[in-house]
Amino acid sequence: MNSKLISVGKILNFHGIKGEVKMGFTSGKESVIKSLKRVFIFVDDKKIELNIEYVRFHKNTALIKFQGYDSINEILQFKGLLVHIYEEDLKSHLEQDEYLIKDLIGLDVFDTVGNRIGIVDIIGENKASNLICIKKTDLKTFMVPFVKELVPEVDLINKKIVINMIDGIDS
């Protein structure tokens, strides 16, 4: 598989003594984490494939048991490491109107009339929604909440997004 690996969580600690790890992940993505069959971690720059025996959830973390790791001593080395999956595996779980941040960066931005405004520079987040930072053609930037009312169209094939330029949005 030539796909890139992307991080879906971080091993925060161990849980109990029988080889379970406690993994932090983005809230609301329980179904993605629950569906995982294998993940990858890097120990001293060496990629290690881990098959998942089971996943359960406890206090906003995932408790994961890897096949063949049956004691706390075997998983201590994983503490603090990022957990990766293949990008295609994650994309298959994206809902409609859900995108990977890396796919949005650099897209051309147009208003609803078709005027080019700039490009997507970075994606930020606040508690309400993700924010798209748009770098205008004059190099000034402004942020737009990534909500359907303000971003009615995302076209990854044509590498563009359309934003609704309501009064004051770019000032």
Side-chain angles (χ1 to χ4, degrees):
M1 189 181 283
N2 288 345
S3 179
K4 292 182 180 178
L5 289 171
I6 56 176
S7 172
V8 293
K10 182 176 182 176
I11 297 175
L12 303 173
N13 215 334
F14 56 88
H15 182 79
I17 60 170
K18 296 186 178 180
E20 285 184 323
V21 298
K22 188 183 296 188
M23 185 181 86
F25 62 95
T26 302
S27 67
K29 296 298 176 196
E30 289 82 1
S31 64
V32 173
I33 302 303
K34 186 76 172 166
S35 72
L36 297 176
K37 302 291 181 230
R38 69 174 177 173
V39 296
F40 302 90
I41 59 172
F42 290 87
V43 176
D44 298 325
D45 293 328
K46 181 182 175 198
K47 181 170 84 171
I48 298 174
E49 180 176 342
L50 299 168
N51 293 309
I52 294 177
E53 192 171 310
Y54 63 81
V55 176
R56 60 191 181 97
F57 299 95
H58 179 68
K59 295 184 179 179
N60 301 320
T61 62
L63 301 179
I64 301 174
K65 173 73 171 67
F66 300 121
Q67 292 175 3
Y69 292 86
D70 299 317
S71 76
I72 188 174
N73 295 332
E74 296 172 311
I75 59 162
L76 280 175
Q77 64 180 327
F78 301 159
K79 184 177 177 179
L81 299 180
L82 294 176
V83 176
H84 301 82
I85 64 172
Y86 284 115
E87 189 174 295
E88 284 99 32
D89 294 340
L90 181 60
K91 283 186 175 182
S92 69
H93 290 283
L94 293 178
E95 296 175 19
Q96 185 176 352
D97 295 331
E98 232 182 355
Y99 306 93
L100 296 179
I101 289 173
K102 73 167 205 61
D103 291 341
L104 299 174
I105 304 295
L107 293 183
D108 286 316
V109 179
F110 294 87
D111 63 18
T112 53
V113 180
N115 299 314
R116 187 175 183 280
I117 298 166
I119 64 165
V120 176
D121 190 33
I122 57 174
I123 307 291
E125 57 181 286
N126 65 21
K127 291 195 185 281
S129 67
N130 285 333
L131 299 169
I132 298 175
C133 181
I134 298 168
K135 186 183 289 185
K136 297 192 315 187
T137 52
D138 66 6
L139 301 182
K140 293 181 181 173
T141 61
F142 67 101
M143 307 274 291
V144 175
F146 193 25
V147 295
K148 194 73 168 169
E149 296 78 25
L150 296 174
V151 185
E153 181 183 344
V154 175
D155 184 346
L156 295 179
I157 294 168
N158 293 306
K159 300 189 182 306
K160 72 173 191 171
I161 69 168
V162 174
I163 64 169
N164 185 1
M165 291 294 290
I166 60 174
D167 286 341
I169 200 168
D170 65 340
S171 51

